[in-house]
Amino acid sequence: MPLLRSYTPHYFSIDDIMATQERLPCKFEVDVLRLGEYCRNQAKIIMSNTTALKVAKKSFLDPSSDDEDIKTGTTLELPYWLARALCNRNRSIVSVNIPRIYKEAYREILKAEASVVDLHRLCVYFYEFGSYLSGFNHRDSTEIGNLLVQCFKDRFRLIMDWAQNSSGDTSGSGRGAGSDPTARLDNLERGLLITGRSSWEALEAWLSQGGGRPIGPANMVVNHQKRQLANASVS
Amino acid sequence: MMDPAEVEFIAEKQMVEIVPNFNFDRVYLISGEIGPFRAGLPVKVPIWMAINLRQRQKCRILVPDWMDVEKLEQAKEDESASRYFTKMPSEHYMAEAQLILSACGEDVPRADEIRTALKDLWDMRMSKLRSSVDTFIKTGGTHARLDHLTLMEMNSVRPLLPHALDQLHRLSTVRFVFSPLVNSSSCFDMHISILYYCFWC
């Protein structure tokens, strides 16, 4: 079994990219000229030389307005990476509002009984997005940070139980009709569940099979042999 | 983390007594010398050698003292009476029993009862481990004592618990990375990392 590393976000990690893609409501603090619906086509033409910027322009667009500019006070849902760039200490073009699921009402639900909440439905990257949000200089930031830790602690038992009872998926705790209860886990928790489950299965197999099993060749050796065979047959 | 087979490999280095039915000189190995073998006289060898000799009908394995129904029942009682983990007769009791019983189960009297007793003991300890891991995470404990926990049992929580502690550590530090207001959170985190280290190594 290979050495398993736990998940840490890095530049190329898809999960991290997806998590920063989550949208959050932002209010414009200044007029943003010529980025409304009206001049979408022009913006496209101007920006067509860089694809990345084109995408950015598109998300700037407010499809509901007929105006050429985005007026002060307009509220739009921007992805996190854009909001982060537009709202910091040097530049505050927008002011960030916390998404619904991290607000007081939902926080109370999670505090009351975190283990029954369907996190996957709330947000697939609940913990990742939440920890990014707590980086904003918002009055709820600390609260969100604490919430994530508490929520993770409360739900850990659930993950551990599911990881160690892999066969009993549909029993008891599934609330939806016949649905897999593990569908209620956020992406981070699901990763933990999968690694936990695979190691538990290995242990169970060992316990039931007994000691002194014949030892097979390592994966690497098998693959190497296959490759050699393939090379030989090609040449 | 380790594969159970790797833990088993480590357990195979434990010594066990055998009665050989052949004569042979001392064997010199990197891990030490073994023998000399005299037919009919008990000698201590590592489990891997004992099993190999047994498979070739060259010896009879003398089952370790603790692999006995009465002693295991006693251990079971102690285990259920204590809140903590009790000391097991062997560092690798589960792996050793699996190896010896599968190699020469027919030689051991009441092998099935031994197997059941061991399984009970194992289950009891696993449920204890599971609930203590749970309380450890829930209460945000900073350290845990793992006295008398065997390698195989420790390995059973291995990728899950360290990874969970990793994520917990990340979630509790991440906001200080972004915001300039760093304060004294790192004491707790440091303890978590130390514990994590214990499980990892």
Side-chain angles (χ1 to χ4, degrees), chain B residues 174-189:
Chain B
V174 82
R175 62 178 180 279
F176 303 106
V177 176
F178 291 112
S179 71
L181 294 163
V182 179
N183 58 24
S184 59
S185 77
S186 26
C187 187
F188 167 76
D189 300 326

Side-chain angles (χ1 to χ4, degrees), chain A residues 32-49:
Chain A
V32 181
L33 300 180
R34 300 180 69 81
L35 284 173
E37 164 75 3
Y38 187 67
C39 57
R40 178 202 284 165
N41 296 329
Q42 284 152 347
K44 255 188 188 168
I45 294 160
I46 295 162
M47 291 304 171
S48 58
N49 44 357

Side-chain angles (χ1 to χ4, degrees), chain A residues 207-220:
Chain A
L207 279 176
S208 60
Q209 219 166 345
R213 271 177 298 155
I215 298 167
N219 266 346
M220 200 186 69

Side-chain angles (χ1 to χ4, degrees), chain B residues 55-98:
Chain B
Q55 280 166 351
R56 293 186 288 149
Q57 308 289 336
K58 298 261 188 225
C59 76
R60 193 159 53 83
I61 298 177
L62 296 178
V63 181
D65 293 341
W66 56 266
M67 228 181 269
D68 171 72
V69 181
E70 274 76 40
K71 289 209 172 120
L72 288 173
E73 290 295 333
Q74 183 58 43
K76 242 166 75 181
E77 265 171 41
D78 293 347
E79 188 65 46
S80 65
S82 164
R83 269 186 62 219
Y84 305 104
F85 293 99
T86 51
K87 189 161 171 44
M88 283 293 104
S90 156
E91 179 63 6
H92 298 281
Y93 71 100
M94 208 56 191
E96 270 181 53
Q98 287 264 34

Side-chain angles (χ1 to χ4, degrees), chain B:
Chain B
M1 66 162 297
M2 290 192 277
D3 197 89
E6 288 168 321
V7 182
E8 187 188 279
F9 177 78
I10 295 171
E12 277 176 344
K13 295 199 176 84
Q14 298 282 328
M15 298 302 245
V16 68
E17 265 192 319
I18 59 165
V19 180
N21 55 13
F22 60 95
N23 289 318
F24 199 77
D25 280 344
R26 211 173 273 257
V27 186
Y28 297 97
L29 301 176
I30 293 176
S31 54
E33 49 203 60
I34 296 159
F37 299 91
R38 293 281 163 266
L41 288 181
V43 59
K44 277 205 165 178
V45 296
I47 290 181
W48 56 267
M49 186 180 267
I51 286 170
N52 186 276
L53 291 173
R54 176 68 184 74
Q55 280 166 351
R56 293 186 288 149
Q57 308 289 336
K58 298 261 188 225
C59 76
R60 193 159 53 83
I61 298 177
L62 296 178
V63 181
D65 293 341
W66 56 266
M67 228 181 269
D68 171 72
V69 181
E70 274 76 40
K71 289 209 172 120
L72 288 173
E73 290 295 333
Q74 183 58 43
K76 242 166 75 181
E77 265 171 41
D78 293 347
E79 188 65 46
S80 65
S82 164
R83 269 186 62 219
Y84 305 104
F85 293 99
T86 51
K87 189 161 171 44
M88 283 293 104
S90 156
E91 179 63 6
H92 298 281
Y93 71 100
M94 208 56 191
E96 270 181 53
Q98 287 264 34
L99 284 165
I100 292 174
L101 291 180
S102 66
C104 58
E106 61 271 24
D107 302 355
V108 183
R110 303 163 79 185
D112 284 337
E113 283 174 62
I114 293 176
R115 275 205 189 95
T116 324
L118 274 167
K119 184 82 176 100
D120 287 349
L121 198 57
W122 167 264
D123 286 343
M124 216 183 278
R125 287 169 69 89
M126 287 310 281
S127 75
K128 223 183 240 187
L129 179 62
R130 204 171 314 164
S131 58
S132 60
V133 163
D134 184 46
T135 35
F136 175 69
I137 291 268
K138 272 231 169 86
T139 55
T142 50
H143 65 281
R145 285 184 64 172
L146 302 171
D147 292 351
H148 308 317
L149 207 57
T150 65
L151 187 58
M152 188 63 91
E153 289 158 346
M154 238 183 264
N155 198 46
S156 72
V157 288
R158 234 182 207 145
L160 192 60
L161 181 60
H163 284 196
L165 290 174
D166 253 0
Q167 300 302 341
L168 210 53
H169 171 75
R170 207 158 62 78
L171 288 176
S172 55
T173 46
V174 82
R175 62 178 180 279
F176 303 106
V177 176
F178 291 112
S179 71
L181 294 163
V182 179
N183 58 24
S184 59
S185 77
S186 26
C187 187
F188 167 76
D189 300 326
M190 203 180 70
H191 281 298
I192 289 283
S193 351
I194 291 171
L195 181 91
Y196 163 73
Y197 215 77
C198 297
F199 267 101
W200 194 250
C201 301

Side-chain angles (χ1 to χ4, degrees), chain A residues 22-28 74-79 83 94-100 103 129 133 136 138:
Chain A
E22 293 286 334
R23 283 160 182 270
L24 66 170
C26 297
K27 204 171 103 194
F28 281 86
T74 318
T75 309
L76 279 183
E77 292 230 318
L78 300 181
V94 299
S95 67
V96 170
N97 210 341
I98 297 297
R100 194 167 48 95
K103 281 209 171 129
F129 188 40
L133 279 183
F136 276 121
H138 191 272

